[in-house]
Amino acid sequence: MSAGEVILRAEHVSVEYAGRRPTRAVRDVSFELRRGEVLGIAGESGCGKTTLAYALARLLRPPARMSGGEVTFTTTAGQTINLAALSGEQLRSFRWTKVSMVFQSAMNALNPVTTIGRQFGDIFAAHRPAMDNAARDRRARDLLTMVNIDPERTVCYPHELSGGMRQRVVIAMALALEPELVIMDEPTTALDVVVQREILDEIERLREQLGFSVIFITHDLSLLLEVSDWLAVMYAGRIVEYAPAEAVGKDPAHPYTRGLLGSFPDMRGERRDLHGVPGSPPDLREEFPGCPFEPRCPSAFEPCRTKLPRLLPLSVNSGSGWLAACHLHDREVIGK
Amino acid sequence: MSLLEVHDLVVDFRQRGGARLRAVDHVSFRLNKGETVALVGESGSGKSTVVRAVGQLQRTDAGAVLLDGVPAGRHGRALLAYRRRVQVIFQDPFASLNPMHTVRYHLARPLRMLGGSRSGLDDQIHALLGSVNLTPAEEIAGKYPHELSGGQRQRVAIARALASGPDVLLADEPVSMLDVSIRLEILNLLDRLKRERDLALLYVTHDLATARHFSAEIMVMYRGEIVERGPSDEVILRPAHPYTQLLASAAPDPSASREQLAAARRARMAARETASQDPASRDLAAERREVLLGEGCRFRLRCPHAMDVCARRPPDAAVGDQHRALCWLHARAATPASSAGSES
């Protein structure tokens, strides 16, 4: 496994929800994910994070459809797959074996009327028809052991497990077919801090052990700064900042990222005045001639009202891959 | 005398088979005018049951709730008079507003119940909406909950709580259902209202960072008991009870470097590894919810410092100025205080 090679490439991805006035939930999003890396996607509710994740896993269902762009996936064997071209059997065998997903409110993602063991069995029945019952059972027990759950629990129903245990089961299911990429949509949001910490440690340990890549989606930026290598901040369906997670916490380039970072107090640091991001996100059925963040932006100036900012490399860190979509960083606009 | 005093509050829930689950076990605290006290703890620790019991929304099994030294009314006019002065803000603004009614209706009801005149009603509603920064008030008043965002709905819920002109607000996880970017505005709003109206505020949360930032005192609850209490900075920066230490170490720390994070993670994994070797603590990983009805410390099965003595009831030990922990580790420093909360 070579690090640094691109595993997933999204180019100009747009997603629309059909309607009298279509909702353009994802707008012209491009990024690259390298093998073994964790990409964090942050943003408020309704900014398009989950819709983007569904598009990457080819899980969109009408009224949503990908209205533009391309997603390509490169397997460890070096084969490049265009996701849009997959259909029928190809698509079915691609999903879960190459890209799997841990869904939002995973606590409710399990079937309440059947046992954990049978739900693992369903995965293998669909994707590994050659496996016999004994082998399926063995594999299910191995997977539970891997996420630190007593293997005897395969006979349990979901309601017999705590929230944290159900979350581990859902993660074990996502890893059942040893995918190369796992998309995690708010995997710890409904959990307590202590349980959340255990799950995050678990994910990190499994990642070291199995080497999969992760796209981690959450609105909790403080968490994302810790777990991810790269951070994409979304606003109104677009990526407005794409930055190395370790550095962006100290020196964000986009005013929206700065606003989000100012939205939570530092637990151990000095007390300071905190403001959050006043106002609310825009209606995604609208078209924006200028920067969609302009009405909430403390640094807005004239061009912001009329001209959509481009996602450009920062001049101070050119070559690092750090991008921001803000006129404050566009030399042509500020005329430097 | 404090504005609101809670003495040895006990709430039991009956379980199948007749067993009782003690959700709140001899909890005592005081709320003073113009002060915020935070109550933190994990899900199922009994935080919301405390709020419901103090708000007289839940039957209690023992203990007393005193408002200005007078026991809280339980029925009829006395209950109404108590509710007028002690109001609750609930966690979920999507569930706490009636989807069939407008904002005006939600605010008019508490105002009318106070016997306000019909003529001035609209002005009062607009003033309430203005005080929670919902403008233009005339337009908002005509809207239904589904037409509002989560943050706006929570502002309506706060305005409704303010309608009766209360002295005490009990805020049960008021921001945990909201987006991170909105949370701070709501907390800042509650903080401003507390100062302007000299309210006593109980802030229930599982977020230690905002608990420290917005309150003077923090109480940490574990399985029905308050295991640590003290000035916010003391409790967060120098936690004395092993449970508080666990909570504080689990919270995300954006200022830590990659090396610090990796080292902390390795230490936690090692600790968990050791714990899982011990057959007696295998159930620990199962996060079992049932309360140990023995006398001993309830945290002992998860505690890295557990000793033999922990099977006996831990003392309420002073660990600093106004800072107490229910733990044998601090027993030497213990003073013979009989019930927690009586020191202030």
Side-chain angles (χ1 to χ4, degrees):
Chain A
M1 185 188 79
S2 62
E5 139 208 13
V6 173
I7 174 168
L8 186 87
R9 178 177 283 127
E11 285 171 299
H12 308 292
V13 172
S14 295
V15 180
E16 266 183 25
Y17 287 85
R20 220 166 358 130
R21 289 162 66 209
T23 303
R24 297 183 53 214
V26 176
R27 303 177 176 209
D28 195 22
V29 165
S30 304
F31 67 85
E32 286 177 352
L33 174 69
R34 290 172 198 285
R35 197 172 293 283
E37 277 183 355
V38 180
L39 170 68
I41 301 182
E44 290 163 282
S45 314
C47 74
K49 306 185 295 285
T50 298
T51 305
L52 175 63
Y54 275 51
L56 298 177
R58 270 292 305 269
L59 284 168
L60 292 173
R61 274 205 256 178
R65 68 179 186 93
M66 204 161 124
S67 52
E70 203 174 75
V71 182
T72 51
F73 183 89
T74 308
T75 63
T76 20
Q79 179 198 5
T80 298
I81 302 168
N82 180 353
L83 260 62
L86 293 178
S87 63
E89 188 54 32
Q90 284 174 313
L91 179 60
R92 209 181 60 79
S93 67
F94 170 81
R95 279 185 190 146
W96 229 254
T97 53
K98 298 282 181 265
V99 177
S100 68
M101 192 152 172
V102 175
F103 293 96
Q104 201 165 0
S105 72
M107 293 166 70
N108 304 324
L110 296 168
N111 185 345
V113 298
T114 181
T115 62
I116 301 297
R118 279 176 187 242
Q119 296 186 50
F120 275 105
D122 287 346
I123 299 175
F124 302 126
H127 292 276
R128 299 272 189 275
M131 255 172 137
D132 62 23
N133 276 337
R136 282 177 199 172
D137 187 51
R138 220 175 314 123
R139 178 75 179 133
R141 295 167 67 95
D142 286 350
L143 284 162
L144 285 184
T145 314
M146 193 170 77
V147 293
N148 270 334
I149 293 181
D150 184 352
E152 303 304 319
R153 293 276 184 161
T154 49
V155 299
C156 285
Y157 288 86
H159 74 267
E160 296 176 274
L161 307 177
S162 72
M165 289 169 81
R166 270 179 275 180
Q167 192 67 52
R168 286 162 198 269
V169 168
V170 171
I171 290 171
M173 283 180 175
L175 297 175
L177 304 174
E178 300 183 332
E180 296 174 35
L181 169 64
V182 183
I183 299 173
M184 302 190 175
D185 188 7
E186 306 266 10
T188 61
T189 301
L191 303 172
D192 271 309
V193 276
V194 176
V195 181
Q196 165 174 300
R197 175 57 65 195
E198 283 174 18
I199 300 279
L200 293 177
D201 286 349
E202 209 67 59
I203 293 171
E204 193 53 37
R205 182 179 66 80
L206 293 167
R207 223 168 56 76
E208 275 170 17
Q209 192 182 329
L210 306 172
F212 53 87
S213 313
V214 174
I215 294 180
F216 198 108
I217 298 172
T218 175
H219 66 268
D220 188 344
L221 195 55
S222 60
L223 192 75
L224 224 41
L225 291 176
E226 246 186 48
V227 299
S228 41
D229 299 305
W230 284 86
L231 185 71
V233 178
M234 283 185 80
Y235 188 78
R238 293 178 193 275
I239 292 181
V240 295
E241 181 155 8
Y242 186 83
E246 200 177 356
V248 75
K250 288 173 194 74
D251 192 17
H254 198 284
Y256 179 59
T257 315
R258 197 171 308 133
L260 286 182
L261 284 167
S263 296
F264 48 87
D266 186 347
M267 194 174 79
R268 294 184 184 83
E270 286 291 301
R271 282 160 197 251
R272 56 192 166 109
D273 270 350
L274 296 160
H275 297 291
V277 189
S280 38
D283 184 344
L284 290 174
R285 287 171 300 188
E286 307 277 338
E287 283 306 318
F288 312 109
C291 172
F293 187 57
E294 181 267 328
R296 299 171 76 184
C297 183
S299 327
F301 60 123
E302 199 42 47
C304 303
R305 272 176 277 280
T306 51
K307 193 166 182 281
L308 182 72
R310 301 174 295 166
L311 190 62
L312 295 173
L314 291 187
S315 49
V316 276
N317 285 310
S318 58
S320 67
W322 191 330
L323 312 171
C326 179
H327 289 320
L328 292 173
H329 297 283
D330 190 334
R331 285 174 184 211
E332 278 178 30
V333 174
I334 54 176
K336 269 188 198 165
Chain B
M1 184 174 65
S2 299
L3 178 61
L4 186 92
E5 297 184 13
V6 176
H7 294 293
D8 290 314
L9 192 70
V10 175
V11 180
D12 286 337
F13 289 119
R14 227 161 280 164
Q15 289 180 303
R16 197 168 45 178
R20 276 162 181 265
L21 181 128
R22 182 147 289 187
V24 177
D25 192 0
H26 293 92
V27 164
S28 304
F29 61 89
R30 294 150 188 265
L31 299 178
N32 293 311
K33 281 190 173 183
E35 265 181 39
T36 304
V37 174
L39 179 61
V40 304
E42 62 189 9
S43 318
S45 60
K47 308 188 294 290
S48 293
T49 310
V50 168
V51 167
R52 294 175 57 85
V54 175
Q56 300 296 317
L57 299 166
Q58 163 74 49
R59 194 187 46 79
T60 58
D61 291 85
V65 177
L66 307 176
L67 184 65
D68 277 335
V70 179
R74 290 182 177 246
H75 312 283
R77 280 168 186 272
L79 177 60
L80 202 64
Y82 178 80
R83 290 240 169 100
R84 215 168 264 170
R85 297 187 56 198
V86 180
Q87 282 283 319
V88 183
I89 298 163
F90 297 96
Q91 175 173 10
D92 186 354
F94 296 82
S96 64
L97 300 179
N98 188 332
M100 303 297 285
H101 289 296
T102 59
V103 170
R104 183 192 317 279
Y105 177 89
H106 282 97
L107 301 181
R109 260 171 68 97
L111 289 171
R112 293 264 291 278
M113 248 172 61
L114 292 169
S117 65
R118 242 166 226 268
S119 55
L121 202 58
D122 270 347
D123 290 339
Q124 289 183 55
I125 288 171
H126 295 161
L128 275 175
L129 288 172
S131 68
V132 295
N133 302 338
L134 278 174
T135 50
E138 289 84 26
E139 197 185 315
I140 299 276
K143 290 198 172 189
Y144 287 89
H146 75 267
E147 298 175 276
L148 304 174
S149 70
Q152 287 175 320
R153 273 183 251 206
Q154 197 60 298
R155 286 170 198 275
V156 172
I158 293 171
R160 177 175 61 182
L162 294 175
S164 64
D167 299 313
V168 181
L169 280 187
L170 311 171
D172 187 5
E173 304 251 20
V175 296
S176 62
M177 300 287 284
L178 305 177
D179 245 327
V180 173
S181 54
I182 314 290
R183 285 182 188 177
L184 222 62
E185 289 181 59
I186 298 290
L187 291 173
N188 281 332
L189 170 68
L190 283 172
D191 201 49
R192 175 171 66 76
L193 292 168
K194 177 200 77 181
R195 275 182 278 113
E196 286 175 1
R197 300 177 179 230
D198 209 19
L199 297 170
L201 186 62
L202 180 69
Y203 172 44
V204 175
T205 180
H206 58 258
D207 179 7
L208 293 180
T210 56
R212 176 180 171 223
H213 203 85
F214 287 96
S215 54
E217 187 190 342
I218 293 182
M219 305 186 288
V220 182
M221 203 166 172
Y222 183 72
R223 296 204 176 174
E225 284 180 323
I226 290 179
V227 295
E228 180 163 356
R229 66 172 77 211
S232 321
D233 283 2
E234 280 286 311
V235 172
I236 300 298
L237 301 178
R238 282 173 289 279
H241 195 282
Y243 177 62
T244 318
Q245 292 166 357
L246 177 71
L247 278 182
S249 68
D253 187 357
S255 57
S257 73
R258 291 292 141 133
E259 290 73 31
Q260 287 169 322
L261 291 173
R265 191 169 57 240
R266 278 193 298 275
R268 284 193 300 268
M269 300 301 261
R272 241 167 264 154
E273 192 63 32
T274 336
S276 64
Q277 301 297 320
D278 177 6
S281 66
R282 278 299 291 269
D283 287 337
L284 172 165
E287 300 158 28
R288 295 172 78 172
R289 287 264 179 252
E290 74 262 34
V291 170
L292 306 159
L293 280 174
E295 274 291 282
C297 171
R298 289 173 184 185
F299 188 62
R300 67 181 190 273
L301 287 186
R302 290 170 73 182
C303 184
H305 309 288
M307 307 171 279
D308 289 342
V309 69
C310 297
R312 282 165 43 213
R313 185 173 167 73
D316 180 33
V319 290
D321 186 27
Q322 308 280 314
H323 185 183
R324 310 185 76 88
L326 202 65
C327 181
W328 279 109
L329 287 177
H330 305 285
R332 221 169 291 164
T335 51
S338 56
S339 80
S342 53
E343 76 278 2
S344 53

